[in-house]
Amino acid sequence: MPRLVFHPEEVKIISRRFGQGAADIDKYIALDGYKAVQTAIEKGVDWIIAEMKASGLRGRGGAGFPTGMKWSFVPKQSERPKYVLVNGDESEPGTCKDHVIFLHDPHAVIEGTMIAGLAIGSKMGFIYLRGEYRYLLKIMEKAVADAYAKGFLGKNIFGSGIDFDIVTQTGAGAYEVGEESALMESLEGKRGVPRIKPPFPAVVGLYGGPTVINNAETIASVPHILLMGGEAYAKVGSERNGGTRLFGISGHVVNPGVYELPMGYNLKKAIYEVGGGISNGRKLKAVVPGGSSTPVLTADEIDVGLDFDQMGKAGTMLGSGGIVVIDDQTCMVEFALRTIKFYQHESCGWCIPCREGTDWLKKTIGRVHAGGGVAKDLDNIRYLAENMLGRTFCPLGDAAAMPTIGFIKKFRHEFEDHLNGKPCPYAHAEEPALV
């Protein structure tokens, strides 16, 4: 179980109840829980949407789409029921932020789901956790049951005449169902493969009804935003990137953990001050800034702000906020092999560019790492990856291709050091196990 960490430069908004026993509903209520949803009922849909737009909250799952705008896309009138779907299928390597929310503040997820339901006119929400989070499912199920027992869920919530129900569900441990349309397929009891778009979920989603799908951290932020006000929340972050974010700092750092930092916080400071610097007195070689699907940054590229726009200008992405720190004793070819093995294993096989592309990348990078590669392999690796980009039904193909292109582009010299039977310069490193 991850230990709670603290740094003076953290801004505690979404994590302010962590470590205070807020999984207990009475404690959550004592800490201003369920006040935001009652205010939302009183002030109505237009106020909710306006506050969310003013907050500058962008999707914390990785896409970074403005949340208030996403909610406003749902049609006001619909013949089919509308749904709210919370994506807690946190399967991106290097990412562990949703885990601590479910563990320490599950009622924030429930309350945020209710507010999203009010905003779009939905009476039903689903909270979907990754398959490996079975022990967190028990916590979430108890929180939902306690909310029903208090009369906060079900018929006539808070005496408002509004009905709202929540169902919890876990997946079967498939990374693919983190993609929103595959998540809906899984929830409907089908194989978790992506749907072709359009239509988009806001119009035709779960069970054919208009659906809002948000990451668990996004949803858990909502009650805090309504309590403090959208404009006040926006001011905490950077331009066009409102509020704070839970960043999981892991890898070769002295103080790994999940920290809540303002959007736009400097990556270099996050590593050397919040994370305590590189462990064992080593030097920094590289950083994966937003989970394994984001392109790598070298040690010379980390003086940049942690928000969607600044990361984009730096040639990478903020992604899911999983900052993986890599020291100078790490073989980047081995790291690339470990990464592509994960995506090859998790590809659903639905489309050829992803199914075949990830397999050939794994074979080629594996051959290079084993010392059996030739110079042409390096060009083939990049060619394969570039031809996967934008040619798959869902972003899993891109998630495999983008980091691979980054590795071969920025650390080509390390790949070259493995060619023509040369042993790995980091021979102490064992062959990585399948992630």
Side-chain angles (χ1 to χ4, degrees):
M1 302 290 285
R3 62 184 176 89
L4 287 175
V5 292
F6 174 78
H7 189 272
E9 294 199 13
E10 283 189 272
V11 178
K12 297 283 189 177
I13 296 177
I14 191 172
S15 64
R16 71 179 180 86
R17 300 189 188 98
F18 288 7
Q20 299 188 59
D24 178 83
I25 192 168
D26 292 324
K27 185 65 175 177
Y28 182 76
I29 293 169
L31 294 169
D32 297 329
Y34 291 108
K35 285 185 178 179
V37 66
Q38 294 179 66
T39 303
I41 291 171
E42 178 186 339
K43 295 199 173 183
V45 173
D46 292 340
W47 177 80
I48 299 171
I49 296 293
E51 288 297 305
M52 293 306 298
K53 287 183 176 180
S55 74
L57 178 68
R58 296 171 66 172
R60 301 308 197 225
F65 195 83
T67 304
M69 186 179 297
K70 189 174 190 177
W71 291 3
S72 68
F73 288 162
V74 177
K76 288 184 169 55
Q77 303 297 326
S78 172
E79 295 181 357
R80 290 179 176 270
K82 303 176 187 179
Y83 300 104
V84 177
L85 178 50
V86 180
N87 186 347
D89 189 76
E90 185 176 51
S91 302
E92 179 87 353
T95 309
C96 52
K97 61 186 180 60
D98 297 344
H99 174 282
V100 293
I101 297 173
F102 290 127
L103 184 64
H104 293 286
D105 205 9
H107 287 282
V109 181
I110 295 171
E111 188 174 7
T113 305
M114 296 168 72
I115 294 168
L118 292 169
I120 69 168
S122 167
K123 296 182 178 181
M124 188 75 183
F126 295 86
I127 300 173
Y128 189 106
L129 282 72
R130 68 178 285 188
E132 292 85 351
Y133 281 174
R134 295 283 173 179
Y135 61 102
L136 296 179
L137 177 65
K138 294 179 181 179
I139 296 173
M140 202 70 237
E141 286 179 334
K142 183 181 185 302
V144 170
D146 289 345
Y148 271 106
K150 290 279 189 182
F152 297 169
L153 290 173
K155 301 290 184 182
N156 191 28
I157 59 172
F158 301 104
S160 64
I162 297 170
D163 302 338
F164 195 81
D165 291 286
I166 286 180
V167 173
T168 55
Q169 178 65 37
T170 59
Y175 174 83
E176 173 58 34
V177 297
E179 194 277 330
E180 61 180 17
S181 64
L183 184 65
M184 292 187 291
E185 291 287 289
S186 172
L187 197 54
E188 292 177 5
K190 305 169 188 174
R191 183 184 173 200
V193 296
R195 298 176 181 177
I196 297 175
K197 301 173 188 177
F200 293 97
V203 179
V204 181
L206 189 66
Y207 303 116
T211 305
V212 154
I213 305 172
N214 283 122
N215 172 259
E217 184 188 356
T218 309
I219 286 291
S221 302
V222 172
H224 299 284
I225 290 170
L226 296 193
L227 285 178
M228 69 185 295
E231 290 187 4
Y233 181 83
K235 290 178 181 177
V236 176
S238 56
E239 185 179 0
R240 298 182 64 250
N241 291 264
T244 61
R245 176 122 200 222
L246 294 176
F247 291 98
I249 304 177
S250 64
H252 301 134
V253 287
V254 175
N255 299 314
V258 178
Y259 299 88
E260 184 172 5
L261 301 169
M263 291 288 280
Y265 192 87
N266 185 270
L267 174 57
K268 188 174 184 178
K269 284 185 67 178
I271 295 168
Y272 284 98
E273 296 184 22
V274 179
I278 313 306
S279 55
N280 299 317
R282 302 292 188 186
K283 293 182 179 180
L284 179 67
K285 176 183 280 190
V287 179
V288 176
S292 64
S293 63
T294 58
V296 67
L297 295 175
T298 65
D300 296 329
E301 297 175 315
I302 63 169
D303 193 9
V304 60
L306 285 164
D307 65 30
F308 293 103
D309 300 326
Q310 293 183 67
M311 285 284 109
K313 290 179 181 178
T316 185
M317 299 183 299
L318 188 62
S320 56
I323 301 170
V324 182
V325 180
I326 304 165
D327 72 15
D328 60 355
Q329 295 300 301
T330 302
C331 173
M332 296 306 294
V333 181
E334 180 182 2
F335 194 90
L337 178 59
R338 181 184 292 272
T339 302
I340 199 60
K341 276 188 173 183
F342 172 81
Y343 289 107
Q344 187 272 338
H345 180 261
E346 294 296 333
S347 173
C348 74
W350 188 248
C351 54
I352 293 172
C354 180
R355 183 184 69 230
E356 298 299 319
T358 55
D359 190 55
W360 278 107
L361 284 174
K362 183 188 77 169
K363 290 176 180 177
T364 309
I365 296 173
R367 183 168 64 246
V368 171
H369 183 255
V374 295
K376 188 177 180 181
D377 287 332
L378 307 190
D379 293 328
N380 284 342
I381 290 169
R382 185 163 180 171
Y383 174 81
L384 278 167
E386 288 176 345
N387 278 277
M388 289 169 61
L389 283 173
R391 292 176 171 86
T392 55
F393 287 143
C394 85
L396 193 148
D398 293 348
M402 289 187 295
T404 302
I405 294 170
F407 292 135
I408 199 73
K409 179 180 178 181
K410 296 183 179 180
F411 294 96
R412 187 181 178 102
H413 61 283
E414 288 202 22
F415 284 80
E416 291 172 345
D417 288 342
H418 286 72
L419 296 178
N420 302 317
K422 294 179 183 177
C424 176
Y426 306 89
H428 61 276
E430 298 179 358
E431 181 68 19
L434 183 64
V435 177

